[in-house]
Amino acid sequence: MDHDEAAPAGTGEGSMISRRQILMSSAAFSRVALAAGVLGSLAGAEAAEVPPPRPNIVYIVADDLGWRDVGFQGSDIRTPHLDKLAQEGARFEQFYAQPMCTPTRAAFMTGRYPLRYGLQTGVIPAAGTYGIPLDEYLLPQMLQDAGYRTALVGKWHLGHAKPEYWPRQRGFDSFYGALVGEIDHFKHSSHGIKDWYRNNKPLEEKGFDNSLFGEEAARTIEHHDAGRPLFLYLAFTAPHTPFQAPREYLDRFENIEDENRRAYAAMISVMDDGIGKVVAALEKRGMRNNTLIVFHSDNGGVKSSMFAGDSKISGRLPADNGPYRDGKGTLYEGGTRVVALANWPGMIKPGAVGGMVHIVDMAPTLASLAGAAVGKGKRLDGMDVWATISQNMPSPRDEIVYNVDPLAGAVRQGDWKLVWKASLPPKVELFDLSGDPSEAADLADRNPDKVRELQARITQLAGEMKPPLLIMEAVRLTFFVPPVTPDPSVLFSLGD
């Protein structure tokens, strides 16, 4: 499938898949074969011509997690619950998100590059009045229309200034958590303003936010009506700044001398324990074997204080992105290639998934599994990658669009990656990721034809993009607000 074509909608519940469709669609065959337990036998396909069971979906996103900062990636930060899911499921080697929080979440919700609707630049700031455009058909709406119960627990960060941007109005049956990008983890506030909600109402509640998220997610499962499939989007605020954690978790890492790294590790441990509670709740309800769990970070770990958030940070930034260059906010691999896994007992082959997967692929993939319609006429950039996830089959994707905005762009085709800083002074870098995943050797001067080819692709995408809403907001705040003047009492005291 071409990357600009919409992925086909999945089969509906109770519909039949023909033998011809099975033979023509590797993704459809993978789902049917796995459901029937005949992983390579066309002879058994005739008896298996029924749709796979529509899974419950638990989709878990960490906030600013470093690529190496989980146990199964070799970290000293203990994450036993995530490690077990990774050991028994698929571990992604090339899972790509956007460089920052809002764009990644928007790409997940829409299956479309954020450049198509103005969310490609930065994040929605606390003073921002915009959100993900209301004419975008979001994944929870797709799943809700297909009969799923939809719940968001955690961080939204796709529009907070107007209620029409809020989760309950964008396809979620329930919402518990924070609307903005960064909150004090104990006070549940941003810039001194409380940001803590249940559905559409402010909520006064004590506790560490990420502990509360894990508990709420487990309760959501415990009280779920098993007559309907569940889509639970669990978006932790860990380990995003400020680096805070309960004392009992800080004590787990008393061997770590650096205060930031100790708190960062503790926050990851809180998240891991919350994920353990979610898995236990699924097992208790008898839902585990029909639940797809996906986990990844929204971007790479923070390596520059410019992208650390609103909180003032002193000392060393603690995230570890392993072999990958730089981190959050950049177009290098450290900002965009993120730790990720998927787990569905009996339906996902354990092991490493080598093919490229982009965050925009998740909406059409999940919608197809759920029998949900996608797009509503809008062109999707994502494609159904279920066969890649479930059986480590070759990815249908041969291109990664890291991002394109008025200042910079980056795109990968095959193993060639171009990073183009277009603002003055301009800079163009070309990397061959097959032998240089750390992006240490710039090959632009030696490969001018490849540079021109990838620059042409970025220019094409730039011609398709909408103006960044953050820039339009900055213009509004700069030129269309009342002037700032001194306090009148101060002027009076100055005299003439």
Side-chain angles (χ1 to χ4, degrees):
M1 183 186 300
D2 186 86
H3 74 277
D4 284 334
E5 294 178 358
T11 55
E13 184 175 36
S15 64
M16 300 296 291
I17 300 175
S18 70
R19 181 180 177 85
R20 180 174 179 273
Q21 288 173 313
I22 293 172
L23 294 172
M24 292 182 66
S25 170
S26 63
F29 173 74
S30 302
R31 291 191 292 273
V32 172
L34 281 168
V38 286
L39 293 176
S41 172
L42 278 174
E46 292 182 0
E49 291 183 356
V50 294
R54 297 203 302 167
N56 303 298
I57 301 165
V58 176
Y59 202 97
I60 307 170
V61 176
D63 202 352
D64 292 1
L65 177 65
W67 181 88
R68 179 162 280 161
D69 291 324
V70 290
F72 66 89
Q73 298 284 62
S75 176
D76 59 344
I77 300 174
R78 298 181 295 275
T79 54
H81 302 292
L82 280 170
D83 296 350
K84 189 172 189 294
L85 290 172
Q87 181 182 8
E88 299 174 354
R91 305 180 309 280
F92 293 88
E93 296 183 342
Q94 299 190 80
F95 190 102
Y96 286 92
Q98 298 295 121
M100 296 190 77
C101 168
T102 293
T104 286
R105 293 161 204 269
F108 169 53
M109 287 285 137
T110 62
R112 288 159 42 83
Y113 298 137
L115 63 90
R116 303 208 184 278
Y117 40 85
L119 288 180
Q120 70 272 47
T121 300
V123 299
I124 300 175
T129 60
Y130 61 95
I132 191 168
L134 299 176
D135 63 349
E136 293 293 328
Y137 186 44
L138 306 189
L139 177 62
Q141 294 171 312
M142 303 174 201
L143 296 178
Q144 196 176 56
D145 290 346
Y148 272 67
R149 160 87 161 86
T150 59
L152 166 57
V153 175
K155 173 177 172 176
W156 176 236
H157 208 188
L158 289 173
H160 55 270
K162 302 175 184 178
E164 53 262 41
Y165 291 135
W166 293 11
R168 286 279 283 117
Q169 285 66 257
R170 304 309 300 271
F172 284 103
D173 293 314
S174 64
F175 165 57
Y176 171 86
L179 293 169
V180 301
E182 176 183 327
I183 60 173
D184 183 287
H185 299 291
F186 288 101
K187 298 178 181 177
H188 312 158
S189 61
S190 172
H191 298 273
I193 305 299
K194 188 72 73 174
D195 182 40
W196 197 250
Y197 292 84
R198 183 175 294 283
N199 298 323
N200 287 330
K201 295 183 178 180
L203 179 64
E204 288 290 336
E205 190 174 34
K206 294 182 179 180
F208 185 67
D209 59 353
N210 290 288
S211 297
L212 295 173
F213 293 150
E215 293 164 3
E216 176 72 13
R219 278 194 299 271
T220 299
I221 294 165
E222 290 165 1
H223 299 149
H224 176 63
D225 177 4
R228 296 173 64 190
L230 172 67
F231 171 56
L232 170 60
Y233 174 33
L234 174 54
F236 288 99
T237 59
H240 194 294
T241 53
F243 298 130
Q244 301 169 322
R247 172 51 56 187
E248 63 178 292
Y249 283 90
L250 291 170
D251 290 344
R252 290 185 182 183
F253 298 94
E254 59 184 359
N255 61 305
I256 299 178
E257 293 185 6
D258 182 84
E259 290 185 6
N260 286 346
R261 178 73 177 176
R262 186 186 310 128
Y264 175 86
M267 295 173 77
I268 294 170
S269 189
V270 171
M271 177 177 65
D272 185 69
D273 279 356
I275 292 168
K277 291 176 182 177
V278 166
V279 174
L282 290 169
E283 291 172 346
K284 183 177 180 181
R285 288 296 311 276
M287 297 167 61
R288 181 68 189 94
N289 287 338
N290 193 35
T291 296
L292 167 63
I293 297 175
V294 179
F295 170 85
H296 64 80
S297 182
D298 61 347
N299 42 248
V302 182
K303 303 303 292 182
S304 168
S305 59
M306 180 186 304
F307 303 112
D310 296 337
S311 302
K312 184 178 179 180
I313 303 298
S314 59
R316 185 179 68 88
L317 290 166
D320 184 352
N321 291 320
Y324 302 119
R325 180 174 174 179
D326 219 316
K328 176 183 177 179
T330 76
L331 296 170
Y332 297 115
E333 296 294 289
T336 54
R337 191 188 295 208
V338 298
V339 57
L341 66 86
N343 183 296
W344 183 1
M347 301 293 279
I348 288 180
K349 180 181 177 181
V353 171
M356 293 188 293
V357 175
H358 193 286
I359 183 67
V360 293
D361 298 331
M362 299 313 294
T365 300
L366 297 180
S368 179
L369 288 171
V374 297
K376 284 197 171 179
K378 288 184 181 288
R379 180 176 64 184
L380 296 192
D381 298 295
M383 54 191 71
D384 188 339
V385 292
W386 178 241
T388 302
I389 294 173
S390 61
Q391 297 182 73
N392 192 22
M393 293 180 66
S395 174
R397 174 173 293 284
D398 61 2
E399 178 183 76
I400 295 293
V401 175
Y402 293 82
N403 199 38
V404 177
D405 68 18
L407 302 178
V411 67
R412 171 183 176 181
Q413 291 182 349
D415 289 319
W416 287 105
K417 174 181 178 180
L418 186 81
V419 179
W420 182 9
K421 176 178 172 286
S423 58
L424 298 177
K427 184 178 183 180
V428 175
E429 297 171 286
L430 181 69
F431 305 104
D432 179 0
L433 296 180
S434 64
D436 182 25
S438 299
E439 298 168 293
D442 177 11
L443 305 178
D445 290 344
R446 285 183 259 170
N447 298 273
D449 291 342
K450 182 59 68 174
V451 169
R452 283 191 290 270
E453 176 187 341
L454 295 180
Q455 280 186 313
R457 174 60 175 147
I458 292 174
T459 300
Q460 176 192 350
L461 288 163
E464 299 171 2
M465 77 177 178
K466 294 288 181 68
L469 292 171
L470 177 63
I471 293 178
M472 304 304 293
E473 187 80 343
V475 170
R476 180 188 69 82
L477 291 173
T478 302
F479 296 106
F480 299 101
V481 295
V484 177
T485 59
D487 186 285
S489 63
V490 175
L491 292 175
F492 181 79
S493 67
L494 292 176
D496 291 329

